Amino acid sequence: MSAPIIAIDAMGGDFGPRNIVQASLACLTATPSLHLVLVGQASLIEELIARHGAVDRSRLRVVNANEAIAMDERPSQALRGKPDSSMRVALELVASGQAQACVSAGNTGALMALSRFVLKTLPGIDRPAMIAAIPTRSGHCQMLDLGANVDCSAEALYQFAVMGSVLAETLGVKKPRVALLNVGTEDIKGNQQVKLAAGLLQAAQGLNYIGYIEGDGLYRGEADVVVCDGFVGNVLLKSSEGLASMIAARIDTLFNRNLLSRAVGALALPLLKRLQTDLAPARHNGASLLGLQGIVVKSHGSASVSGFQSAIQRAIVESRENLPQRLKGRLELLLQNGQT
Amino acid sequence: MSAPIIAIDAMGGDFGPRNIVQASLACLTATPSLHLVLVGQASLIEELIARHGAVDRSRLRVVNANEAIAMDERPSQALRGKPDSSMRVALELVASGQAQACVSAGNTGALMALSRFVLKTLPGIDRPAMIAAIPTRSGHCQMLDLGANVDCSAEALYQFAVMGSVLAETLGVKKPRVALLNVGTEDIKGNQQVKLAAGLLQAAQGLNYIGYIEGDGLYRGEADVVVCDGFVGNVLLKSSEGLASMIAARIDTLFNRNLLSRAVGALALPLLKRLQTDLAPARHNGASLLGLQGIVVKSHGSASVSGFQSAIQRAIVESRENLPQRLKGRLELLLQNGQT
């Protein structure tokens, strides 16, 4: 456990392997117990490694994979047509126990499909969900699903709630407050799936379910875990990123109007930059695919070097905490309650 | 057309009739051709009017209604159990031609149900949609539905697109770019309803349909009309309000840290306030219920006096433009295309 081995899909993402290799080498230096396996076109990866100075090759392995999955490729095609893709080979290293976790910045749909096929879901879980931390007034909340499942049954939402609660506990939150995202807080509000999921959650024991939450309540920090289907979660995440960028741009314009305001802006700049990073957590920190028999972290396709480093860091934490095993134990108990 | 008569539900909203009467009297003063009918508990309304100085009573009528609909009342109860509610009487004034528009800050679900029952929908429209302007980097976009319909068929999304396009044209946008909100821009992305709606929109003539848009693209100003179901729209709207408030609070904290930053903050304050108002359009400007045989504007339940004034202003514009008649004409043509 103290020396996690992490498989990196070196070919995924919008910018090719350059950023990914750079981030990987930086993590190796920063975490002396870390072992990495870079998966992809070996000659290209070796060339990129050679550009760097001293690299501890005893902790770095390169595994060749001849194919790469395009960002717009259909998941079904990635699953059936590319047995030797870098993403798949990286996942197979986890399945065979040669690595504890896989990190990829590649095609989300393909990563979801391949993860389910190669690693399988935990008992009681139908589909994995994507989860990330969203900043709130009082800290952070864990939100899921962020886009892996566009349609969700009430049972799926229930499973997400259970998984989100366990993850939050693992990260140190005591009795995490779990809420369902809805268009109002009254009982009569919402669509059929959400109302049925509320019934399952009210009946569940061992979960601190606090009821419905609205979009503004999320940012007020009213819950530690916010559950929704992947369509809604994805729209919320991306629109929040877009809004934060728009506000940043407007503030920028304001502060650049004249000499005085430019001086003022220079003072405020570090905080505003920090704020932007905070508000694009998926882009910067990576998201986990939860509910699999193995750890999979999705880095944003356009993540910077430091963004990909954060995703690797997340995989290290989940490996050390042995998250799938923890989830499995808690799920057995909690899901029994929900499925009676 | 030059002298619109607007019926005001004086009893709706979180703060009772005080704000509403005050906003109404301010609008009467600001718009000399405007006629208002205040509907609600007449003695109370008269008392509130009497507190003000000179009021031109030739343009102000009070109509008594003995009942009021609570903010958490079920729409079915409001529909069947309260024949003499202020909201219903105000809508009946529109239905009977005694007013061109109704403005209410009351229960959204009840307003939706009563509007459909009292005013009926336009030919070809199954359910009205709620629409409001959302700020973007390049100006505004019209987004619908914002919460009136939590589940939407592909046909409903198509109808929303047509109505949104006509509204944007009415407001002066030439060939409005219409987009469907989705979790990606590739064809394979999205749930079943969205994919089917995309097919209908691609086949429609006379609509400038530009394809899918993501949450961040909305704020980048990539479309003039953004279409989604009411669950997604409501979550996007409320989470955006929540995020904008959170950012404002963080900036506030930053600027209050020391004397220098306080001076800096004082300089930035007017813009930041303006930004917050901009980012909560539903709270400040009101939203329209589109697709009815009459004009209905929903003010936010917790709207301030100036917020309710904006909602009345919106009703004035829609009355002058005779929006339902315009919509009817365009819908006949466009919906024929989509329903073959």
Side-chain angles (χ1 to χ4, degrees), chain A residues 152-172:
Chain A
C152 290
S153 64
E155 287 71 26
L157 293 173
Y158 176 79
Q159 292 166 14
F160 296 172
V162 171
M163 293 198 292
S165 179
V166 175
L167 178 75
E169 275 176 43
T170 304
L171 298 175

Side-chain angles (χ1 to χ4, degrees), chain A residues 261-334:
Chain A
S261 63
R262 240 174 276 164
V264 168
L267 288 169
L269 205 63
L271 178 117
L272 296 175
K273 288 269 172 227
R274 165 75 200 286
L275 199 62
Q276 249 180 305
T277 308
D278 254 22
L279 294 172
R283 199 177 295 270
H284 294 280
N285 301 330
S288 303
L289 270 181
L290 223 55
L292 294 161
Q293 299 190 25
I295 295 162
V296 179
V297 174
K298 168 77 175 77
S299 175
H300 198 282
S302 65
S304 60
V305 171
S306 75
F308 200 86
Q309 275 181 261
S310 299
I312 297 176
Q313 197 52 46
R314 185 175 182 118
I316 295 173
V317 171
E318 292 187 10
S319 300
R320 286 196 174 138
E321 296 288 334
N322 200 356
L323 186 62
Q325 201 55 39
R326 269 181 182 245
L327 268 172
K328 196 180 166 199
R330 289 293 310 277
L331 283 167
E332 275 168 16
L333 189 70
L334 281 165

Side-chain angles (χ1 to χ4, degrees), chain A residues 75-97:
Chain A
S76 56
Q77 197 177 332
L79 194 59
R80 292 191 207 105
K82 290 195 169 165
D84 196 29
S85 70
S86 57
M87 189 186 281
R88 181 163 187 159
V89 173
L91 287 165
E92 280 167 349
L93 289 170
V94 179
S96 64

Side-chain angles (χ1 to χ4, degrees), chain B residues 44-61:
Chain B
L44 180 57
I45 295 172
E46 289 291 359
E47 199 185 303
L48 289 166
I49 295 172
R51 285 194 205 165
H52 287 262
V55 175
D56 179 359
R57 289 303 298 252
S58 74
R59 297 191 285 123
L60 177 65
R61 196 152 69 95

Side-chain angles (χ1 to χ4, degrees), chain A residues 74 183 188 214 238 264, chain B residues 74 183 188 214 238 264 278:
Chain A
R74 279 173 188 270
V183 297
I188 55 159
E214 295 181 83
K238 286 183 181 158
V264 168
Chain B
R74 278 172 189 270
V183 297
I188 56 159
E214 295 181 82
K238 287 183 182 159
V264 168
D278 255 22

